[in-house]
Amino acid sequence: MNPGSFQHYNFICFCQELIQLNQQSMTDHIKRCQHYRKASPFFQKFEQIQLDKMQRPHLIALKSEFQIFIERVDALLNQETNRLTQSVYNKPSNNNNGPILQFIQPSFSQINQKVVQNKAQVQDDFFAPYKQLQKYQQCEVCGKQVNTDYITYFEHCLKPICRPCVMKQIEKDQKTNTEFQCANPDCRKQMIEYDLIQLIGKEKHDQYSQIMLFRQFNIVKCSACSEQGAFEKGSSITILKDPVTNLQLQQKYVEHYLNNRFMCFNQKCKTEQCKECKAVPYHLGLTCEEYKIKKSSKCCRYCDQPIHNVQSNVPQALQDICQNKECQEKAQLACNKLLPCGHSCPGFKNEQVCATCLDDKCNQREQKGDDYCNICFTEGLKNAPIIQSNCGHIFHYYCILQRLDIKWNGPRIVFKFCFCPLCNSWLQFQQSQPQNLIDKYFLLFQEVKKKSLERLKYESRDKDEKVSKVGELYYGKPQEYAMAIYCYYQCFKCQQPYFGGAKDCQRGLEEGDKQYKPEELICANCCDVPIGETCQVHGKDYIEFKCRFCCQIAVWFCWGSTHFCEDCHKRQCNGDYVSKIPKEKLPKCPGKDKCPIKMDHKPNGEEQALGCAICRNQRANQQNF
């Protein structure tokens, strides 16, 4: 007998109808047969399940279970088919014996009767696993038994995964990956957009997708101004030095710098930051993980390095300063008080009013702790004790002291160092050492203003076009004009300002680069050279000297014996030693009428006081010195 003929055997249904024994015929009959559906224990229980009210994941799970049972039944049928085939081939055929396979009604009725008698037991035994599944299910990822309400199934995987595991994988992917992957480690297929939106919502999905899109195409966003641009890895730097120790950094820190550090593309912003962890400024010499650990540990407020041994024998406000030598030097200038917010005062020692807190959570000012000091431009404001001016701007306390100590560059007195670098107002502080110096320089400032304005009036230059003509820079500002065109120097001996001539353009360009010795600047009152009679009207304030080497008014007094004009002094400093030129080879005076100083004087090569400049001007009836 051909094994294929097995499909022609019949099946006797509960309705007594004879059905051809093949899957299609059986399926068609069971769909329309009410007797079979009522008698079958499987259908009785299955009909109780409200499929239209089940969630999509449960429907997929149920379908998957049916598929598993179908595969098992197919396997058993294949085994039976093989067994019967072997029986047919091994035994002689007997055409009178009828069909080898036959289902008869009594046998199925007995089964039905047994099911009816033990209905509750059969139902409980038959569907006990599904009942359990409806309550708890084991997560494929974490292995925990989880309430089915928190179990998720995906069409690409069909494995039960708890929601916490799914969310953990989503959070991980949005931080490090360019696509969302299945949480099942044996799957790792890309999750579809529909499933993601169902889990986390459209708003968060769009937010995460943008982050991953930026990562895929290396797009970075400025933490300060939100400017976006394509990040390009650096390649030209091979050596970097630690900003604190000045030692060469390890290669891994160089690689991290090249892969993550960038400056904002906005020219008005230019904020330095880390692409990976968004830190501002970039944490040079640390990976993002190391920087995170460092930020969470107690670090020195000045050098930002971890403090391993807190010094309990110092005031609490100073316990956030490490034992590094440079930091301890700064600590000597630091305020030792705690602010009401609980943070250490960032100000200076013995200040009467504590400075504003620079902590990011407390500081609402325009200037932040990480902003550079606008005097040194080498460290952030929080990296050293600070002082706050009355105009509201903050600087390093030591930088202010150093600025006031250096004063002006070159011999000419200028007062730019006394003005705020940010708003250009005269610096004022609470009572302190810097304020004492400011008060001292203010007196000097007033003296120079007084003398320059007096000279401007005596020379009648207060009527110059630059002061009297509308639209000119100094229109209506004779005081500012006088300060701009006249040079005053501070006498090394008496510390008083004295007139040093008019300021020409070339001098204005070069005065910041001049090398000079302060002890060479001596006024007429302190000069050892005889000056003749003291002016009865103006005293010695306006006594002038002639340059020893030419017919010009002297500005410099060197070696305690020699006066130089600006040009001769410059030649001397550049190696063209006019002091070594023989007296007879020095320029000859062309005579009183043509002489630049318009008077008779000793031959060049000799010292000579010219007397009071103002009186000399008046006698000569000239308005220009």
Side-chain angles (χ1 to χ4, degrees):
M1 179 182 290
N2 192 327
S5 62
F6 290 152
Q7 63 179 335
H8 300 296
Y9 293 163
N10 298 327
F11 170 80
I12 300 176
C13 179
F14 294 107
C15 65
Q16 304 303 317
E17 184 177 344
L18 192 65
I19 311 301
Q20 191 174 4
L21 191 60
N22 62 69
Q23 185 170 345
Q24 186 61 50
S25 298
M26 291 286 291
T27 300
D28 292 339
H29 177 77
I30 292 173
K31 283 182 178 180
R32 67 176 183 271
C33 182
Q34 294 296 326
H35 292 282
Y36 185 96
R37 296 165 74 93
K38 290 180 180 179
S40 168
F42 178 84
F43 263 93
Q44 286 293 310
K45 192 64 181 180
F46 183 79
E47 290 291 347
Q48 296 178 12
I49 302 175
Q50 298 179 344
L51 296 177
D52 57 336
K53 294 184 178 180
M54 291 184 68
Q55 297 180 0
R56 186 170 180 270
H58 290 164
L59 289 173
I60 295 175
L62 187 60
K63 181 179 178 181
S64 302
E65 291 180 9
F66 289 168
Q67 185 64 41
I68 292 173
F69 282 103
I70 289 172
E71 291 173 359
R72 290 182 181 177
V73 172
D74 285 342
L76 292 173
L77 288 174
N78 289 336
Q79 291 178 7
E80 185 67 10
T81 302
N82 292 336
R83 183 181 66 78
L84 291 176
T85 302
Q86 292 298 326
S87 175
V88 170
Y89 285 144
N90 293 335
K91 294 182 181 181
S93 63
N94 185 356
N95 294 330
N96 297 323
N97 289 337
I100 294 177
L101 293 179
Q102 183 177 10
F103 290 93
I104 60 176
Q105 181 181 358
S107 61
F108 210 107
S109 298
Q110 291 174 4
I111 294 176
N112 184 34
Q113 184 179 2
K114 185 177 180 181
V115 170
V116 171
Q117 292 174 351
N118 303 285
K119 185 175 182 180
Q121 181 181 354
V122 171
Q123 287 179 348
D124 290 343
D125 293 344
F126 193 92
F127 287 97
Y130 189 75
K131 278 187 175 182
Q132 185 66 21
L133 176 63
Q134 291 283 50
K135 293 181 180 179
Y136 294 97
Q137 181 74 327
Q138 183 175 351
C139 173
E140 191 72 20
V141 178
C142 64
K144 297 179 180 178
Q145 292 290 331
V146 183
N147 190 300
T148 53
D149 291 338
Y150 297 99
I151 288 290
T152 301
Y153 295 86
F154 299 104
E155 290 189 19
H156 64 262
C157 181
L158 294 178
K159 297 292 184 181
I161 305 173
C162 69
R163 185 166 298 228
C165 288
V166 175
M167 297 305 297
K168 188 182 296 183
Q169 182 65 36
I170 291 175
E171 291 296 328
K172 178 182 176 182
D173 286 341
Q174 69 93 10
K175 290 179 180 178
T176 60
N177 210 345
T178 57
E179 63 180 23
F180 293 103
Q181 297 180 342
C182 178
N184 182 3
D186 297 329
C187 178
R188 288 292 187 245
K189 291 182 180 179
Q190 183 177 357
M191 295 178 66
I192 62 175
E193 182 178 337
Y194 173 82
D195 290 333
L196 285 167
I197 294 177
Q198 291 295 316
L199 286 166
I200 61 178
K202 190 174 188 313
E203 183 178 352
K204 185 166 283 190
H205 170 267
D206 293 344
Q207 176 187 344
Y208 285 176
S209 296
Q210 184 183 42
I211 293 174
M212 300 175 83
L213 185 67
F214 279 15
R215 184 179 298 115
Q216 181 178 359
F217 294 99
N218 238 348
I219 304 297
V220 291
K221 183 178 181 180
C222 176
S223 302
C225 69
S226 301
E227 183 80 9
Q228 298 176 8
F231 175 83
E232 294 185 7
K233 177 184 175 181
S235 59
S236 59
I237 298 177
T238 56
I239 297 177
L240 280 176
K241 291 189 177 181
D242 188 288
V244 178
T245 63
N246 203 37
L247 298 176
Q248 183 175 333
L249 293 173
Q250 298 178 27
Q251 186 60 32
K252 67 174 183 178
Y253 298 126
V254 176
E255 285 295 322
H256 193 282
Y257 177 90
L258 297 175
N259 286 318
N260 293 283
R261 184 262 186 193
F262 76 97
M263 298 283 283
C264 177
F265 308 98
N266 186 345
Q267 294 298 320
K268 295 181 179 180
C269 180
K270 283 291 183 182
T271 300
E272 180 194 36
Q273 53 204 289
C274 177
K275 174 173 74 74
E276 188 64 27
C277 68
K278 315 302 181 188
V280 176
Y282 174 78
H283 42 81
L284 183 61
L286 295 171
T287 62
C288 293
E289 293 76 15
E290 292 171 344
Y291 176 71
K292 182 178 180 181
I293 294 173
K294 178 181 175 181
K295 292 292 286 185
S296 62
S297 62
K298 190 175 183 66
C299 297
C300 175
R301 69 164 105 159
Y302 294 144
C303 69
D304 208 28
Q305 295 301 308
I307 300 176
H308 302 293
N309 297 312
V310 177
Q311 301 297 310
S312 57
N313 60 337
V314 299
Q316 184 178 351
L318 301 179
Q319 291 180 7
D320 59 351
I321 303 176
C322 72
Q323 295 303 302
N324 180 279
K325 180 180 177 182
E326 184 177 346
C327 294
Q328 284 300 305
E329 289 175 353
K330 294 177 180 178
Q332 298 302 314
L333 300 174
C335 178
N336 60 3
K337 303 183 187 74
L338 286 175
L339 298 175
C341 61
H343 296 117
S344 300
C345 174
F348 61 94
K349 189 175 182 179
N350 298 327
E351 60 185 350
Q352 297 177 352
V353 180
C354 283
T356 302
C357 183
L358 293 180
D359 188 270
D360 292 339
K361 297 178 181 178
C362 303
N363 184 19
Q364 302 299 322
R365 302 176 57 83
E366 182 179 350
Q367 285 182 284
K368 306 299 181 182
D370 289 324
D371 292 346
Y372 283 127
C373 168
N374 278 268
I375 296 177
C376 66
F377 289 99
T378 57
E379 288 185 311
L381 290 172
K382 68 179 182 181
N383 298 122
I386 63 170
I387 186 171
Q388 186 172 341
S389 66
N390 289 359
C391 62
H393 293 121
I394 301 171
F395 310 96
H396 289 153
Y397 178 75
Y398 176 76
C399 290
I400 284 290
L401 284 177
Q402 194 174 37
R403 179 183 177 94
L404 296 177
D405 181 59
I406 294 175
K407 301 180 294 188
W408 49 81
N409 293 322
R412 179 175 179 247
I413 299 175
V414 291
F415 292 95
K416 186 177 180 180
F417 71 99
C418 287
F419 289 85
C420 175
L422 294 172
C423 66
N424 205 35
S425 61
W426 185 269
L427 287 171
Q428 290 286 328
F429 304 101
Q430 58 176 289
Q431 194 56 48
S432 58
Q433 185 179 354
Q435 184 56 41
N436 294 339
L437 292 172
I438 286 289
D439 291 340
K440 171 186 171 183
Y441 294 131
F442 185 72
L443 295 176
L444 181 64
F445 180 56
Q446 295 297 327
E447 185 69 16
V448 173
K449 285 175 62 177
K450 175 185 174 184
K451 289 187 174 183
S452 62
L453 185 60
E454 186 178 352
R455 180 171 288 273
L456 188 77
K457 292 178 179 178
Y458 275 119
E459 294 183 355
S460 296
R461 297 198 64 177
D462 56 337
K463 298 179 178 61
D464 281 2
E465 189 177 85
K466 291 186 178 181
V467 178
S468 59
K469 184 178 180 180
V470 177
E472 290 291 336
L473 179 62
Y474 295 103
Y475 173 70
K477 301 176 183 177
Q479 180 66 83
E480 293 184 22
Y481 183 56
M483 295 287 285
I485 66 173
Y486 292 136
C487 293
Y488 280 85
Y489 302 91
Q490 188 176 34
C491 177
F492 180 74
K493 292 185 178 181
C494 68
Q495 299 296 302
Q496 293 301 309
Y498 69 94
F499 179 67
K503 174 181 175 292
D504 57 44
C505 295
Q506 187 63 25
R507 182 182 302 168
L509 291 173
E510 297 178 352
E511 65 183 2
D513 298 326
K514 291 176 182 174
Q515 298 295 323
Y516 77 101
K517 296 179 181 179
E519 57 269 22
E520 295 177 350
L521 298 177
I522 306 295
C523 70
N525 288 340
C526 302
C527 180
D528 294 334
V529 178
I531 62 175
E533 295 183 1
T534 300
C535 179
Q536 298 299 317
V537 179
H538 306 106
K540 295 182 179 181
D541 287 345
Y542 296 97
I543 299 294
E544 292 179 330
F545 285 82
K546 183 188 77 68
C547 174
R548 175 180 288 193
F549 308 102
C550 69
C551 301
Q552 296 287 347
I553 295 175
V555 175
W556 299 86
F557 181 64
C558 303
W559 315 314
S561 61
T562 307
H563 284 89
F564 287 87
C565 68
E566 180 63 33
D567 292 337
C568 291
H569 188 265
K570 183 177 179 180
R571 290 176 59 188
Q572 183 78 15
C573 293
N574 290 337
D576 184 9
Y577 300 110
V578 293
S579 60
K580 295 184 179 180
I581 299 176
K583 182 178 178 180
E584 60 274 11
K585 292 187 178 181
L586 290 172
K588 306 299 181 182
C589 178
K592 180 178 179 180
D593 294 336
K594 296 182 180 180
C595 179
I597 58 178
K598 303 298 181 182
M599 65 177 295
D600 293 323
H601 57 78
K602 296 179 181 180
N604 291 332
E606 299 181 20
E607 287 286 326
Q608 181 177 350
L610 302 179
C612 178
I614 295 177
C615 293
R616 178 163 51 84
N617 237 21
Q618 291 173 336
R619 286 195 300 267
N621 196 24
Q622 294 178 354
Q623 301 303 319
N624 294 318
F625 276 47

